[in-house]
Amino acid sequence: EDQVTQSPEALRLQEGESSSLNCSYTVSGLRGLFWYRQDPGKGPEFLFTLYSAGEEKEKERLKATLTKKESFLHITAPKPEDSATYLCAVRNQAGTALIFGKGTTLSVSS
Amino acid sequence: GAGVSQSPSNKVTEKGKDVELRCDPISGHTALYWYRQSLGQGLEFLIYFQGNSAPDKSGLPSDRFSAERTGGSVSTLTIQRTQQEDSAVYLCASSRGRAGGYEQYFGPGTRLTVT
């Protein structure tokens, strides 16, 4: 059964304190791993798609990496505006849906 | 450009009533998805539409839930005889689909409260 597990559930950082969020996945044939950001009361906002092990993508202070079993979202020198819930997802076997993890809630204080 | 829009943004209904939730996808996106997000739970897939193909309804939790997509664009999710456990945020997403691009873009959601 396809499954996505994110850790930690919650992470508190000081402004400028870099860290990483983990997404472990179990899927028969990866067809894409997706990272989203979700602010309270809003829908998820697309960040990155990764398709093969070794692939990396960057956007501002965020960098996503992928191995055969997990993905990391690295946050470099975070700012308070990076506070949000970060969601990881994989496409299901049929290609008809995303299977989401429960997310990591990041709080960055100044 | 315009993103995915959903209406209403909030809906409060009494147990046993029927509700309809609407989704307007991004223009040109052929794939449309409905998800449900409950407190403490992840996003749960409900249904998928791709062009004129038969929808994937495998995520619908019961036969009280149904959805349609008219003219390959607007979609309506209907919940009949609502129950308290139906309270959640219902999210709609769209993507370019097979035409190129599986990234799903989400609307703001409809918060449904069943009293």
Side-chain angles (χ1 to χ4, degrees):
Chain A
E1 182 184 347
D2 298 341
Q3 201 166 7
V4 177
T5 304
Q6 291 188 246
S7 61
E9 289 185 15
L11 181 63
R12 290 183 175 275
L13 298 174
Q14 291 289 318
E15 185 172 4
E17 180 187 2
S18 302
S19 189
S20 297
L21 313 182
N22 177 263
C23 170
S24 299
Y25 62 90
T26 305
V27 64
S28 301
L30 183 66
R31 303 180 65 179
L33 184 139
F34 301 78
W35 281 99
Y36 285 82
R37 168 188 171 132
Q38 187 173 27
D39 292 298
K42 297 191 175 181
E45 174 190 347
F46 171 72
L47 293 174
F48 304 110
T49 310
L50 302 166
Y51 284 101
S52 54
E55 190 175 357
E56 298 184 352
K57 288 199 176 167
E58 284 188 68
K59 179 181 179 180
E60 297 180 355
R61 295 176 293 282
L62 301 176
K63 182 167 84 170
T65 62
L66 182 65
T67 72
K68 289 187 177 179
K69 293 185 177 181
E70 56 192 350
S71 177
F72 293 93
L73 185 65
H74 306 277
I75 304 176
T76 302
K79 298 183 177 183
E81 53 261 43
D82 295 323
S83 297
T85 295
Y86 291 85
L87 300 168
C88 171
V90 296
R91 283 182 73 207
N92 66 352
Q93 286 239 0
T96 58
L98 293 179
I99 301 168
F100 282 86
K102 294 191 176 181
T104 294
T105 300
L106 174 67
S107 300
V108 182
S109 55
S110 57
Chain B
V4 177
S5 61
Q6 293 186 244
S7 61
S9 54
N10 280 284
K11 177 72 176 180
V12 180
T13 191
E14 290 180 354
K15 178 181 172 182
K17 301 279 190 182
D18 297 352
V19 295
E20 285 189 351
L21 312 180
R22 177 187 166 104
C23 171
D24 276 279
I26 293 172
S27 177
H29 280 193
T30 60
L32 187 147
Y33 315 76
W34 283 97
Y35 292 85
R36 178 168 73 175
Q37 188 172 32
S38 307
L39 196 61
Q41 301 294 320
L43 274 84
E44 173 191 14
F45 166 69
L46 297 177
I47 190 169
Y48 161 80
F49 295 93
Q50 169 61 56
N52 295 321
S53 303
D56 176 356
K57 305 180 182 180
S58 61
L60 295 178
S62 77
D63 58 9
R64 296 186 296 104
F65 288 72
S66 64
E68 64 176 20
R69 189 178 185 192
T70 54
S73 183
V74 171
S75 177
T76 302
L77 177 69
T78 302
I79 308 173
Q80 296 179 309
R81 305 181 301 282
T82 52
Q83 303 295 311
Q84 289 190 329
E85 59 264 27
D86 299 334
S87 296
V89 176
Y90 290 82
L91 291 158
C92 176
S94 69
S95 72
R96 292 187 183 88
R98 299 188 194 117
Y102 296 101
E103 293 80 15
Q104 297 182 20
Y105 295 89
F106 284 81
T110 293
R111 180 174 298 278
L112 175 66
T113 303
V114 182
T115 62

